[in-house]
Amino acid sequence: MAISRGAKTLALTSMGIALVSLDVTILNVAFGSLLREFGTDSRRELTWLFSGYNIAYAATLLTAGRLADAYGRKKAFLRGLVIFAIGSALCGFAQNPEMLIGSRIIQAIGGAILSPASLALVLPEFPVERRSAAIGIWGAVGGLSAAMGPVIGGWLIDIANWRAVFFVNVPVCLITAAIGVKFLKESLDETAHKHVDIPGALLAVVSVGLLALAIVQSDEWGWATPTTIAILAGSALATAAFVATCRRSAVPVLDLRLLKLPFVTASTVASLVFSAGFYAMIFVNTQWLQAVWGYGVLKSGWATVPGPFMAAVVAAPAGRAAHRFGHGKVIGLGCLIFATSMLFMNVLMVREPSFWTHFFPFNVISGIGIGLSISTFSSAATAYLPHTRFAMGSALSNTARQVGAALGLAIVGSLLTAAVKSKDVAHGVQQGWTYVSITIFIAGAVMIALFRKPTAEQLVTAAA
């Protein structure tokens, strides 16, 4: 049976998002090798490999989405791949921490450019009733790639060294871009002005960048210190100025009319809360396996695979169910399953290694809940948008997810730092699981309470 053009486009663009997702987690296992090469004195500096990446990625998304809608999503996707490849190559050749951090920021910018464009290229290839399932597959690829990061990273380091973690991206990016040049169809907002709202773009970068900076550095600086408070205040002022600029501009970076659509607002807010729990869960689960059960890097990576694999299996059917029964109901059910599994895991977990009887079952059950939820958030936010706002809507959704992830990691990082000082890591992880349960319950409740299906008129506009 012939493969449809939509399926081919989905497969090709998913390669880009797989690389970006993989790169978020693959570096975790390389940190020890980096310390050995650059010296333990560089530990604090090297943490900016993660902080700098997250800040640059989150800060660039909104502007990248606006430019992709105006100038072409195919162009944005291909340029993002090339920039990501350049950043990866520079990381591989880095001779000091400063060069490595700067190259990671280039990677982040490339990832932020290609991410909203990749989803925006997929959406026009599917009718409205099939978009949620397509987004489910797109999101599942990203989630599974992120989960496989520690496994792939550990394998590459075993057979080569930490530089292979970066060099492996280069040929994949270039091959994907070469195929994309010939195969992908250009997609853009034909009515959009080519003028870019420079003040709005700068304010978007400053507001999101400062917020991400305050969150990711909160563990070091503290939440109530003058530095953190000043940065949060600066972010709030920049956000207010950004909103005012968007209201006045004829071609805003973010069309505020998107936030008047209940399905966009609900899914964006709930996705931020969900991400604050989901990414925290990945971190605390790994800490339990390594710090409490004594698993090695590669073994702990394999131990966490069943959950994301189950999420990937469930994601596409979840998208179809969401279109039929409503995104709010499917996400609400997914959050209930996910949060409940974390709650039982917290109560029943033992401190002696017992993977098959204690970790594996809850990992699989939480994977089902995650599969029902995580990609469905993306489809809830973007599947019913008019074609002129595909990339902008995707960028808004991704920005919320990235800010939520940074917030969640900062919170559980603080819990675990306190636990390490009291020499009871297990207790810190259990506090983390409690936090995850509460956060995911709240995300599901927000979605059920606020989400409204698109109107008949909005569906007609989306299908045009």
Side-chain angles (χ1 to χ4, degrees):
M1 187 174 70
I3 301 175
S4 68
R5 179 178 178 83
K8 292 177 182 177
T9 302
L10 176 59
L12 187 61
T13 55
S14 293
M15 285 301 301
I17 203 65
L19 285 171
V20 174
S21 301
L22 185 70
D23 213 65
V24 171
T25 58
I26 198 171
L27 196 59
N28 291 334
V29 297
F31 197 72
S33 300
L34 291 168
L35 286 175
R36 285 191 292 273
E37 175 147 344
F38 296 123
T40 54
D41 291 342
S42 62
R43 174 181 291 273
R44 173 53 64 182
E45 189 178 8
L46 286 172
T47 60
W48 276 92
L49 292 173
F50 307 98
S51 301
Y53 185 95
N54 289 331
I55 292 166
Y57 185 80
T60 311
L61 277 167
L62 283 175
T63 303
R66 164 71 184 87
L67 293 174
D69 278 334
Y71 289 94
R73 291 120 186 191
K74 175 181 176 179
K75 292 187 183 74
F77 180 71
L78 297 176
R79 287 169 181 165
L81 281 171
V82 172
I83 294 171
F84 193 84
I86 292 171
S88 298
L90 290 173
C91 284
F93 287 117
Q95 299 302 307
N96 54 61
E98 293 78 14
M99 181 178 176
L100 190 55
I101 293 166
S103 302
R104 279 283 285 173
I105 290 173
I106 295 173
Q107 264 192 319
I109 293 171
I113 292 171
L114 74 86
S115 293
S118 69
L119 184 56
L121 285 166
V122 170
L123 293 175
E125 299 289 347
F126 292 88
V128 171
E129 63 273 11
R130 292 181 59 201
R131 284 179 189 166
S132 291
I135 296 170
I137 295 171
W138 180 87
V141 169
L144 190 58
S145 298
M148 291 299 295
V151 177
I152 296 172
W155 176 71
L156 288 170
I157 292 169
D158 280 347
I159 63 171
N161 55 45
W162 66 265
R163 297 180 189 275
V165 168
F166 297 107
F167 283 136
V168 73
N169 294 332
V170 178
V172 180
C173 283
L174 297 181
I175 292 170
T176 304
I179 297 171
V181 168
K182 294 185 177 181
F183 177 76
L184 293 173
K185 285 197 301 187
E186 188 56 280
S187 165
L188 72 159
D189 178 3
E190 302 278 0
T191 64
H193 294 282
K194 302 305 180 186
H195 166 74
V196 179
D197 178 12
I198 300 297
L202 291 175
L203 286 168
V205 170
V206 171
S207 61
V208 178
L210 287 177
L211 177 60
L213 174 63
I215 291 171
V216 299
Q217 290 297 110
S218 61
D219 185 45
E220 180 184 356
W221 296 341
W223 285 102
T225 60
T227 301
T228 301
I229 292 171
I231 291 174
L232 288 173
S235 175
L237 289 173
T239 301
F242 172 70
V243 171
T245 301
C246 288
R247 284 176 174 167
R248 291 195 307 267
S249 176
V251 283
V253 171
L254 175 64
D255 187 345
L256 296 178
R257 288 175 295 180
L258 285 177
L259 299 178
K260 294 181 180 180
L261 302 173
F263 59 89
V264 172
T265 302
S267 54
T268 300
V269 173
S271 178
L272 188 152
V273 178
F274 180 89
S275 297
F278 169 71
Y279 287 94
M281 178 272 295
I282 294 175
F283 181 74
V284 294
N285 281 2
T286 303
Q287 293 301 307
W288 182 272
L289 292 169
Q290 293 183 359
V292 180
W293 281 3
Y295 281 18
V297 171
L298 199 55
K299 187 177 180 180
S300 65
W302 278 113
T304 59
V305 166
F309 178 79
M310 185 59 64
V313 170
V314 171
R320 291 192 290 270
H323 181 76
R324 182 176 178 183
F325 300 109
H327 289 75
K329 293 177 181 177
V330 172
I331 289 174
L333 175 62
C335 288
L336 178 63
I337 294 172
F338 181 13
T340 303
S341 70
M342 288 290 100
L343 190 62
F344 278 99
M345 190 175 186
N346 192 11
V347 173
L348 300 176
M349 188 59 69
V350 294
R351 299 196 180 194
E352 298 77 29
S354 51
F355 173 76
W356 291 107
T357 57
H358 287 74
F359 191 88
F360 176 79
F362 295 115
N363 194 230
V364 171
I365 294 169
S366 65
I368 294 171
I370 292 165
L372 289 170
S373 308
I374 191 165
S375 299
T376 313
F377 277 115
S378 295
S379 63
T382 59
Y384 305 115
L385 289 176
H387 76 280
T388 56
R389 294 293 179 267
F390 281 159
M392 186 181 292
S394 175
L396 177 63
S397 178
N398 279 327
T399 301
R401 181 175 296 184
Q402 192 69 17
V403 171
L407 180 60
L409 288 170
I411 291 172
V412 294
S414 298
L415 292 175
L416 283 171
T417 298
V420 168
K421 290 178 180 177
S422 64
K423 298 182 180 180
D424 192 355
V425 176
H427 179 64
V429 173
Q430 289 173 320
Q431 286 182 313
W433 282 332
T434 300
Y435 158 79
V436 171
S437 298
I438 294 170
T439 305
I440 300 301
F441 270 127
I442 292 173
V446 168
M447 194 66 180
I448 291 173
L450 299 182
F451 185 81
R452 298 292 179 271
K453 288 183 177 181
T455 64
E457 182 182 354
Q458 289 165 349
L459 284 173
V460 169
T461 303

